Amino acid sequence: MSSTPPETDGAADTGARPDEPRSLRIEDWLTVIIMAALALITFANVLVRYFTNSSFAWTEEISVFLMILLALVAGSAAVARNQHIRIEFFSDSGSVQRRKALARFGSLMVALLFAIIAVLSVRVVWDDFRFEETSPGIGVPQWWYSIWLPVVSALITLRAIGLFIRQGRPGAFPDVPVEKDHSKEIA
């Protein structure tokens, strides 16, 4: 007798879906690190406020930056896992071919959107660097914060392209019949 139920076949142990890229560990670990940093910064600020009736000036600026970065990293993971926002009434209705076409179109549009954001935000970073903008709270160069927008937007673009490619593979949509190549069968 096996301790693993036959219907799961051990796949539930990993927590990963078979169509999910292994490299999602990057986003998962970044999410953990960013959340831990947010918790530590907030906890430190609460302690300082409680004992001294003042607060660290830098905590709000760093926390806002980390929350924005967390949203972008989580967005990247959502795109790669095909869990991005969509109107399910339209995406899950109709024929299987229509659903596949809409899913691939959505992935392509996400890739296009974030590619445009990546390209245009490079100009923002360049302006921050060129004009020596500093952050309002602690006075560090503003480009230290803004450089992450084109970087993570490019990552989201790559994730959306990867999703588009995976959605085009045979078997990506279980209801779509996979054509069998009979020329390779042995008689």
Side-chain angles (χ1 to χ4, degrees), residues 75-95:
S76 176
V79 167
R81 288 185 171 110
N82 196 20
Q83 295 178 338
H84 51 82
I85 296 174
R86 65 182 134 246
I87 301 173
E88 291 180 356
F89 176 78
F90 296 112
S91 67
D92 293 346
S93 62
S95 70

Side-chain angles (χ1 to χ4, degrees), residues 98-115:
R98 179 181 174 274
R99 290 191 315 236
K100 182 176 182 177
L102 281 176
R104 295 195 81 207
F105 177 74
S107 299
L108 215 52
M109 291 299 101
V110 169
L112 178 65
L113 171 70
F114 280 97

